[in-house]
Amino acid sequence: MLLFCNFIEVMSLMLNKYEEYHSQKAIFFWARKLLKIVGLEWKCLFNHNVVWLSVLPNASLLQMVQFTAKMFTTGKTQGVLLSLQNKKIQLSKVFSAMLAIHPNKPALWIMAAKWEMEERLSSESARHLFLRALRFHPESPKLYQEYFRMELMHAEKQRKEKKEFEQAKMDLGEFNYSEEVLNGEMARIIYRNAVQEIKGAEFCLSLLSIAKLFDFTQDLQKEILENLQAEHADDPLTWDYMARRELEMGSLPSPECSSKQMKASEVAQKEERCCAVFEEAVTALPTEAMWKCYVTFCLERLNRKTNSEELRRKRLERTLSVFSGAHESTLLPETLYKQWLHLLLEVGLSEKATEVAAAATKRFSQSVEMWHTRLQVLIKLNSSDVAQCFEEAVRQVKSKGCLPLWTLWVEWSEGANSKEDTQALYQRSLFVIAPADSVTMKEKYLDWAYRDGGYKKAKKVFTSLHESRPFSLAFFRKMIEIEKEQESCKMLNLREYYERALREFGSTDSDLWLDYIKEELNHPQGKPVNCGNIHWRAMKMLEGELVEKFVSKYTLLQTGHL
């Protein structure tokens, strides 16, 4: 489909931003550049002052519209041949053309409707666009939400206009303000149609949150709330909203007539009413999701700052009680156990934390995260059962994915066990865990060997592992780094490490070749004559774009810029 626009008209807007470019050649250059930026496939036929744009179906139309809208709405009037109104009409035509090509993009429909509503002040055009969009996307929540919002905004605007006319004591005879529109009846119709197409409490709550932004929608809010309770009583989100709603009921006493203690007391009463609703909820709907909502609410209130020690104490007691209730019902989600344990340790209930951690791993026996959390608790408490718990954990959890447990185990062993036990543990881990995870353990093993026994022990560990695939590049680089830290750094050893690393990663890492060349050039025992051979091998082994990258950096190295 061909769209055409006056070239000088569009580009004159651009030239307000790029004032240093005034020639026809510059205009053509920037047109091509910007078209390339927005990702359009295009062809331009330069004929006097007209550019024809061939917009193909796979074009990035949203970017095109955003770009065009910015030009039309932010350009200065100087040098622009079209009036502001004509420019708006022109952009509306652009939107129409875009929508004809891409009706499957809800965001584009919303953008077009927003333009008609906010820029052209045409609620009828915006409404027409939304209705067309819903024929293409009858199950799009976002379209319904924005259509609902638009009708409420239109009603609010008309209410303000009518109020201003009445205050000015003007005759409203020639103006037609429908009571149905002023009261938000159009939005009510949209809501009723929307809930027929899209089910779920979450969608209803999204419309309710929009309605609450407008002060004339009390009846509409009441209808949505009644429908929410009637149709979605078995949804945790409904109960969660109803409980939290208690916080909004009533009002806090003013600072002039009440003390801080009275304020804290009223907040406590509101929170108790919330919890009463939650208690009813977990009784009527005893599910993991419902308990999660309850616990999350309690944690949110506990984390709120307060100067009242009494309120803080009540929140803590309530939170611990809710955690226990969910745990006893075996409905506490795995993700919340960690927060519970952290809270128990924070308030000094270490014995309770140990019991909860044990119960959690019994319930989620295959969860690496749960075992990891339990072990962290035991280590923090300096428990004597740490080693036994590690053994139990690696028995229960499958070898694949248990790397966090082994990492924690060896880190704990480094500080708690003998060197021999730690080394035996490292060696055991390499045979037990999955090959992909063993890569990390080899790096940690080499690093520990160097820290514990120095260069000789690190060299011994490297020699024992250098044929045990898979490897990581970091494993070889660590050994190279260790060698270079020695006073008597031997180039012979560095060559061995580089050659072994290149055998594994020579086709995928160009920097490794460059580092090897640098060593030959800069090391006292290096042989610069070897650099040509290394360069030739790199050109043969590297793949794709890595060759160009290597050549560029090698050139910089030769000229002394790297």
Side-chain angles (χ1 to χ4, degrees):
M1 176 179 181
L2 290 179
L3 298 179
F4 63 94
C5 59
N6 189 294
F7 184 71
I8 299 300
E9 294 162 4
V10 174
M11 294 313 300
S12 60
L13 292 172
M14 291 170 51
L15 290 177
N16 287 316
K17 185 174 182 181
Y18 301 101
E19 294 179 357
E20 65 270 27
Y21 300 105
H22 291 286
S23 67
Q24 196 175 68
K25 182 178 179 181
I27 295 174
F28 187 69
F29 168 78
W30 280 105
R32 293 184 62 184
K33 190 173 182 67
L34 287 170
L35 286 167
K36 186 176 181 181
I37 289 172
V38 298
L40 292 171
E41 292 188 31
W42 60 280
K43 59 183 178 180
C44 291
L45 300 177
F46 189 70
N47 181 15
H48 298 292
N49 63 344
V50 177
V51 170
W52 296 77
L53 303 179
S54 179
V55 183
L56 304 181
N58 60 344
S60 179
L61 296 179
L62 289 177
Q63 291 177 309
M64 172 67 174
V65 171
Q66 290 169 341
F67 166 66
T68 310
K70 186 176 181 180
M71 287 197 301
F72 275 119
T73 57
T74 63
K76 299 176 182 178
T77 56
Q78 184 179 5
V80 179
L81 303 181
L82 296 176
S83 66
L84 179 61
Q85 184 62 29
N86 286 340
K87 286 193 294 182
K88 291 182 178 181
I89 295 173
Q90 187 76 1
L91 186 54
S92 294
K93 292 179 180 179
V94 172
F95 271 119
S96 298
M98 299 300 138
L99 290 172
I101 300 170
H102 279 269
N104 61 333
K105 299 184 185 299
L108 186 57
W109 288 99
I110 293 170
M111 192 186 303
K114 183 179 179 181
W115 166 262
E116 295 294 333
M117 180 70 181
E118 297 180 2
E119 299 296 333
R120 297 197 65 197
L121 306 178
S122 174
S123 59
E124 283 298 322
S125 298
R127 186 178 297 119
H128 179 67
L129 282 169
F130 273 120
L131 290 173
R132 284 179 59 199
L134 288 172
R135 285 200 291 270
F136 286 101
H137 308 281
E139 297 181 357
S140 172
K142 188 65 176 176
L143 274 174
Y144 276 112
Q145 289 163 359
E146 295 305 319
Y147 188 14
F148 184 72
R149 189 194 310 273
M150 186 275 290
E151 289 294 355
L152 290 175
M153 289 173 63
H154 177 57
E156 182 180 51
K157 178 184 174 183
Q158 290 215 328
R159 291 170 70 91
K160 288 180 179 179
E161 286 180 358
K162 184 180 179 183
K163 183 178 179 180
E164 289 173 359
F165 283 140
E166 289 174 346
Q167 289 177 345
K169 298 180 181 180
M170 294 179 63
D171 183 14
L172 300 179
E174 60 184 78
F175 299 100
N176 182 21
Y177 290 104
S178 169
E179 286 300 321
E180 288 78 9
V181 173
L182 294 175
N183 294 329
E185 290 301 316
M186 293 294 291
R188 190 188 302 271
I189 294 171
I190 295 168
Y191 159 72
R192 290 174 179 173
N193 291 334
V195 295
Q196 295 297 321
E197 294 289 342
I198 302 172
K199 307 297 181 181
E202 184 178 4
F203 179 67
C204 285
L205 287 171
S206 71
L207 296 181
L208 180 58
S209 66
I210 294 171
K212 289 174 71 175
L213 299 174
F214 301 88
D215 57 9
F216 58 91
T217 60
Q218 285 77 14
D219 290 342
L220 179 57
Q221 292 179 45
K222 183 179 179 181
E223 179 178 336
I224 297 175
L225 196 57
E226 290 175 352
N227 179 69
L228 189 68
Q229 292 176 289
E231 300 294 331
H232 305 288
D234 57 346
D235 193 312
L237 291 177
T238 301
W239 286 99
D240 185 58
Y241 175 81
M242 297 304 298
R244 292 172 182 270
R245 188 164 169 259
E246 294 295 328
L247 291 173
E248 303 172 4
M249 303 296 287
S251 60
L252 290 172
S254 63
E256 293 79 8
C257 61
S258 63
S259 65
K260 292 181 179 180
Q261 290 78 6
M262 291 179 64
K263 290 181 181 180
S265 175
E266 186 158 348
V267 171
Q269 291 175 7
K270 289 184 176 183
E271 291 180 357
E272 286 173 5
R273 293 201 301 269
C274 292
C275 290
V277 177
F278 273 119
E279 289 291 341
E280 182 183 353
V282 295
T283 302
L285 192 65
T287 64
E288 196 173 274
M290 191 67 255
W291 276 105
K292 183 177 181 180
C293 291
Y294 193 2
V295 171
T296 302
F297 169 78
C298 291
L299 287 172
E300 287 175 4
R301 302 308 298 180
L302 179 63
N303 292 330
R304 289 180 68 89
K305 293 182 180 180
T306 177
N307 294 324
S308 171
E309 289 298 325
E310 179 66 18
L311 181 57
R312 168 74 182 174
R313 183 186 61 79
K314 286 183 179 180
R315 286 172 172 174
L316 178 60
E317 290 178 354
R318 182 188 304 121
T319 303
L320 293 174
S321 174
V322 173
F323 267 122
S324 296
H327 171 66
E328 291 167 3
S329 303
T330 65
L331 292 172
L332 183 64
E334 179 184 346
T335 53
L336 291 177
Y337 270 101
K338 190 171 184 178
Q339 296 185 55
W340 187 14
L341 291 168
H342 176 75
L343 183 60
L344 290 171
L345 292 175
E346 187 179 305
V347 297
L349 299 175
S350 56
E351 186 175 342
K352 179 67 174 177
T354 305
E355 294 176 5
V356 169
T361 52
K362 183 177 181 181
R363 182 180 168 199
F364 303 101
S365 60
Q366 294 296 315
S367 171
V368 173
E369 180 67 24
M370 203 71 260
W371 280 105
H372 194 272
T373 302
R374 180 185 176 185
L375 288 163
Q376 285 179 317
V377 170
L378 294 178
I379 291 172
K380 188 171 185 177
L381 297 175
N382 295 319
S383 173
S384 59
D385 299 329
V386 175
Q388 181 182 348
C389 187
F390 270 118
E391 293 287 355
E392 184 182 357
V394 295
R395 281 199 307 270
Q396 292 284 347
V397 179
K398 296 178 181 178
S399 61
K400 186 177 181 180
C402 67
L403 177 61
L405 297 180
W406 283 100
T407 301
L408 183 62
W409 196 353
V410 294
E411 289 174 354
W412 168 78
S413 181
E414 288 177 14
N417 293 340
S418 65
K419 297 178 182 179
E420 292 75 14
D421 289 342
T422 300
Q423 183 165 359
L425 189 61
Y426 270 114
Q427 292 173 348
R428 177 185 169 189
S429 69
L430 298 176
F431 292 100
V432 173
I433 62 179
D437 293 337
S438 69
V439 169
T440 302
M441 294 306 298
K442 289 170 187 171
E443 296 172 19
K444 293 185 70 65
Y445 187 14
L446 181 62
D447 181 65
W448 170 80
Y450 183 56
R451 287 186 285 108
D452 179 66
Y455 174 74
K456 288 185 177 180
K457 189 169 186 176
K459 179 71 180 294
K460 186 177 179 180
V461 168
F462 178 81
T463 304
S464 67
L465 296 177
H466 63 51
E467 294 294 344
S468 178
R469 292 177 177 81
F471 299 112
S472 67
L473 182 58
F475 176 73
F476 292 103
R477 286 198 177 277
K478 180 63 180 177
M479 193 61 221
I480 292 170
E481 180 186 339
I482 292 172
E483 181 67 41
K484 291 171 71 173
E485 288 177 0
Q486 309 310 306
E487 291 183 7
S488 58
C489 175
K490 296 180 180 180
M491 188 62 203
L492 186 64
N493 291 338
L494 287 175
R495 286 194 188 100
E496 178 191 351
Y497 306 146
Y498 272 112
E499 289 295 341
R500 290 188 178 278
L502 290 170
R503 188 169 64 185
E504 304 294 331
F505 304 101
S507 62
T508 58
D509 194 297
S510 61
D511 290 339
L512 192 59
W513 292 98
L514 289 166
D515 292 340
Y516 192 7
I517 292 173
K518 289 178 187 177
E519 293 294 347
E520 290 288 6
L521 291 172
N522 301 326
H523 196 280
Q525 302 171 11
K527 296 181 180 180
V529 70
N530 292 341
C531 294
N533 183 47
I534 297 172
H535 178 273
W536 179 82
R537 290 168 56 200
M539 296 294 289
K540 299 288 285 185
M541 286 191 67
L542 289 172
E543 301 172 348
E545 296 179 356
L546 291 174
V547 177
E548 296 179 10
K549 183 179 178 183
F550 172 75
V551 170
S552 299
K553 289 190 174 182
Y554 184 70
T555 304
L556 292 173
L557 180 63
Q558 285 183 312
T559 56
H561 293 88
L562 186 63

